[in-house]
C-alpha cells in the first residue's frame, strides 16, 4: 500500500479503530461470542444478548439516552427510512405535512420523495447563505397538519451545525415530532437527548470508527407509539425492527461509541487545531472560499471552492483522497445538491472540494495537504485571454 493518497475523506467513512476490531472479532468464531442473541435458552445466546445490551448502553450513553430507547438498524440510511416512513405510516390515511431541507442526506430526501408520492405533502426548506436551517425558518413553515420535521444535526458536505434544540422547541410547541439525522454529529458534537427536544435520531457506526452496515435509531417517548416497523419477522427490537441481531456489528458499534466518548475532548480539540493550521496555510491563497458557516460548524469537515483559479483536480487527487460531493452521490456526475441549494452554480460546484479530517490525521498530513492544494491551483489564463 505504498504511495496511496493521504486520506481526507473521514466524512465518507472511517477506518475501524483497532480497539473496536478486537471487540468485533471476539463475536465471530467458535471460541468466541457467536450465539444468537435471541437464543435465551442457553449460555451461548445469553452471552450474545449481554454483548448486545452492553453495546446498547454504550451507544445510549454517548448521546444521553437510555438503553431501551436505542433500536438497532443496518445504518443511518435505514434509521432515516424507519423514522420517516414509520411515523408517516402511523397516520393511516390521514395524510399530512412533513418539513425537511434541501441539504439533507439523500436517505432523507429520497424517503421524503417517496412519501410525497404516497400522498403526503413535503416542504423542503432552503438553507440560509451559511448553510443553516434556523428555528425561525422551521416555525414559519409549520402548518396545522405538520406531523414530522426531519433535519440533520451536522451537514455531511459543509460541516455546518444546526440549532436542533431551538428547532425542537418550535416543533414541540406545535405538537409535531422532530427527527434528526446525526450520522455526522455523533462523536463530534456533545449530544444530550435527555434534555434535547428531539424525538428520533439516526446514527451510523462507520462514521465513528466502527464497521459499516450497522446503525441505530433513538426513539424517544413521544415517538414510540407513533412509529411503525418497516421490517417484519420475529418482532425483535420491541417489534420495531426484526432480524437476527448482528452481535459482532452491534458490539463493535457499542465499543466505537464508548471510545468516541472517552476521546471526545482531546480528539475534537486536536482536530480543531489541525483545521486551524490548514486554514492558516490556505489563507495565503487568494482563490479559496469556504462554504457554510465558519462559526456554527464542526472542525472535521471543510468545504472549499476555488474561485477564479485553474484547479487541477486530477493532480490533487493523486496526493489527497477527498471528495467533490458526498460519497453517496459520487456515482452521479450531477453537481452537489447541497452546493446548489447554497446558491452556488454548477461551475462553482466543479471547483469545490470537501476535506474531512479524523482520528488518524496528523500535522504532517495537513502540511502536505496544504502544499498539494497550493500546487493544484494556478492563476486563470488571463494572459491567453488578453492576447486576443
Ligand atoms: C453517512 C450518512 C448517512 C448514511 O449512513 P449509512 O450508515 O452509510 O447508511 C446518512 N446521513 C448522513 C448525514 C450521513 O453522513
Amino acid at each position: 500500500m505504498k504511495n496511496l493518497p493521504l486520506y481526507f475523506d473521514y466524512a465518507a467513512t472511517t477506518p475501524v479503530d483497532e480497539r473496536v476490531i478486537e471487540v468485533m472479532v471476539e463475536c465471530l468464531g467458535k471460541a468466541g461470542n457467536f450465539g444468537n442473541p435471541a437464543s435465551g435458552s442457553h449460555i451461548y445466546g445469553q452471552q450474545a444478548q449481554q454483548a448486545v445490551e452492553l453495546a446498547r448502553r454504550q451507544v445510549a450513553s454517548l448521546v444521553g439516552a437510555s438503553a431501551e430507547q436505542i433500536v438497532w438498524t443496518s445504518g443511518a440510511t435505514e434509521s432515516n427510512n424507519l423514522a420517516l416512513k414509520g411515523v408517516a405510516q402511523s397516520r393511516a390515511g390521514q395524510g399530512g405535512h412533513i418539513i425537511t431541507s434541501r441539504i439533507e442526506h439523500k436517505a432523507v430526501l429520497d424517503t421524503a420523495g417517496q412519501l410525497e408520492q404516497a400522498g403526503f405533502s413535503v416542504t423542503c426548506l432552503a438553507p440560509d447563505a451559511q448553510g443553516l436551517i434556523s428555528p425561525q425558518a422551521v416555525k414559519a413553515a409549520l402548518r396545522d397538519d405538520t406531523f414530522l420535521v426531519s433535519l440533520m444535526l451536522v451537514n455531511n458536505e459543509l460541516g455546518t451545525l444546526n440549532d436542533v434544540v431551538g428547532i425542537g422547541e418550535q416543533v414541540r410547541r406545535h405538537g409535531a415530532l422532530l427527527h434528526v439525522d446525526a450520522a455526522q454529529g455523533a462523536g463530534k458534537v456533545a449530544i444530550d437527548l435527555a434534555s434535547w427536544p428531539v424525538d428520533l435520531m439516526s446514527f451510523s457506526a462507520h462514521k465513528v470508527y466502527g464497521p459499516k452496515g450497522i446503525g441505530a435509531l433513538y426513539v424517544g417517548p413521544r415517538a414510540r407509539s407513533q412509529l411503525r416497523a418497516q421490517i417484519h419477522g420475529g418482532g425483535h427490537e420491541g417489534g420495531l425492527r426484526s432480524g437476527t441481531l448482528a452481535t459482532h456489528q452491534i458490539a463493535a458499534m457499542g465499543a466505537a461509541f464508548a471510545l468516541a466518548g472517552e476521546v471526545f475532548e482531546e480528539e475534537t480539540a486536536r482536530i480543531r487545531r489541525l483545521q486551524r493550521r490548514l486554514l492558516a496555510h490556505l489563507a495565503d491563497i487568494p482563490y479559496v472560499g469556504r462554504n457554510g458557516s465558519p462559526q456554527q460548524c464542526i472542525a472535521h469537515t471543510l468545504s472549499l471552492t476555488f474561485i477564479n483559479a485553474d484547479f487541477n483536480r486530477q493532480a490533487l487527487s493523486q496526493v489527497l483522497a477527498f471528495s467533490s460531493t458526498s460519497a453517496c452521490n459520487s456515482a452521479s456526475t450531477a453537481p452537489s445538491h447541497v452546493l446548489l441549494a447554497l446558491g452556488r452554480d454548477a461551475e462553482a460546484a466543479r471547483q469545490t472540494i470537501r476535506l474531512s479530517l479524523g482520528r488518524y490525521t496528523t500535522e504532517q498530513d495537513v502540511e502536505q495537504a496544504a502544499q498539494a492544494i497550493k500546487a493544484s491551483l494556478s492563476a486563470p489564463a488571463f494572459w491567453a485571454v488578453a492576447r486576443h
Side-chain angles (χ1 to χ4, degrees):
M1 303 259 277
K2 264 199 302 188
N3 291 328
L4 281 178
L6 296 171
Y7 193 71
F8 272 85
D9 207 9
Y10 284 85
T13 196
T14 58
V16 181
D17 191 292
E18 296 298 330
R19 294 163 284 188
V20 172
I21 294 176
E22 270 175 41
V23 171
M24 190 165 179
V25 167
E26 278 164 21
C27 299
L28 292 171
K30 71 180 193 310
N33 196 355
F34 72 88
N36 185 330
S39 302
S41 63
H42 53 67
I43 185 74
Y44 296 91
Q46 290 156 9
Q47 281 180 354
Q49 196 201 358
Q50 279 167 19
V52 165
E53 296 314 317
L54 168 64
R56 208 187 293 279
R57 290 193 297 275
Q58 289 171 319
V59 168
S61 166
L62 182 69
V63 297
S66 55
E68 70 277 6
Q69 296 170 323
I70 299 297
V71 174
W72 301 116
T73 65
S74 62
T77 298
E78 187 190 327
S79 298
N80 290 344
N81 270 264
L82 174 56
L84 271 70
K85 292 176 186 165
V87 170
Q89 214 178 68
S90 77
R91 307 271 306 166
Q94 294 173 70
H97 179 229
I98 299 169
I99 298 172
T100 182
S101 89
R102 286 164 60 186
I103 59 169
E104 296 305 301
H105 190 274
K106 291 282 175 169
V108 164
L109 285 177
D110 289 353
T111 304
Q114 286 292 313
L115 293 172
E116 196 166 28
Q117 281 185 12
F120 292 94
S121 121
V122 176
T123 297
C124 274
L125 295 173
D128 65 18
Q130 303 272 290
L132 297 167
I133 309 293
S134 69
Q136 293 77 6
V138 173
K139 185 181 179 197
L142 285 165
R143 302 192 328 207
D144 285 346
D145 62 343
T146 306
F147 63 93
L148 180 65
V149 176
S150 177
L151 293 167
M152 67 208 319
L153 179 59
V154 172
N155 182 271
N156 47 306
E157 290 191 32
L158 307 170
T160 45
L161 179 62
N162 277 324
D163 173 12
V164 300
V165 172
I167 290 168
E169 281 160 7
Q170 298 299 336
V171 174
R172 197 151 277 190
R173 197 166 299 152
H174 189 82
L177 294 178
L178 175 61
H179 165 251
V180 173
D181 178 350
Q184 296 285 344
K188 304 184 186 112
V189 176
I191 296 171
D192 183 29
L193 289 166
S195 65
W196 288 14
V198 171
D199 303 298
L200 295 151
M201 188 174 269
S202 301
F203 303 105
S204 174
H206 77 93
K207 307 284 172 68
V208 193
Y209 309 91
K212 296 165 189 61
I214 181 73
L217 180 67
Y218 158 82
V219 182
R222 292 169 76 249
R224 192 89 201 183
S225 64
Q226 294 187 57
L227 192 68
R228 298 288 174 271
Q230 299 301 303
I231 296 182
H232 303 92
H236 306 72
E237 297 297 278
L240 285 175
R241 204 278 194 173
S242 288
T244 301
L245 294 176
T247 318
H248 62 301
Q249 303 276 76
I250 290 170
M253 181 165 178
F257 273 51
L259 255 178
E262 284 167 33
V263 303
F264 181 81
E265 298 289 341
E266 185 231 307
E267 186 164 283
T268 46
R270 196 181 69 85
I271 289 174
R272 185 159 299 122
R273 281 198 302 277
L274 289 177
Q275 197 214 43
R276 236 181 257 139
R277 197 175 178 123
L278 183 59
L279 284 171
H281 276 296
L282 300 179
D284 311 343
I285 319 176
Y287 321 113
V288 182
R290 182 171 172 187
N291 300 303
S293 168
Q295 285 91 34
Q296 219 173 304
C297 65
I298 57 167
H300 308 59
T301 304
L302 194 56
S303 172
L304 302 173
T305 298
F306 305 124
I307 304 146
N308 294 328
D310 285 331
F311 167 49
N312 190 339
R313 182 177 289 272
Q314 192 83 23
L316 187 59
S317 302
Q318 282 169 10
V319 188
L320 296 188
F322 61 93
S323 71
S324 32
T325 173
S326 60
C328 42
N329 290 342
S330 294
S332 80
T333 50
S336 147
H337 69 281
V338 174
L339 293 171
L340 295 181
L342 276 188
R344 306 284 185 271
D345 60 12
E347 171 58 20
R350 267 194 296 281
Q351 296 271 96
T352 298
I353 65 170
R354 176 187 72 181
L355 296 175
S356 44
L357 287 64
R359 186 165 294 168
Y360 307 107
T361 309
T362 64
E363 284 183 12
Q364 200 191 344
D365 292 343
V366 164
E367 297 296 324
Q368 279 180 260
Q371 296 314 316
I373 291 169
K374 284 178 187 171
S376 73
L377 293 171
S378 51
F382 283 137
W383 298 115
V385 174
R387 251 184 259 125
H388 286 288

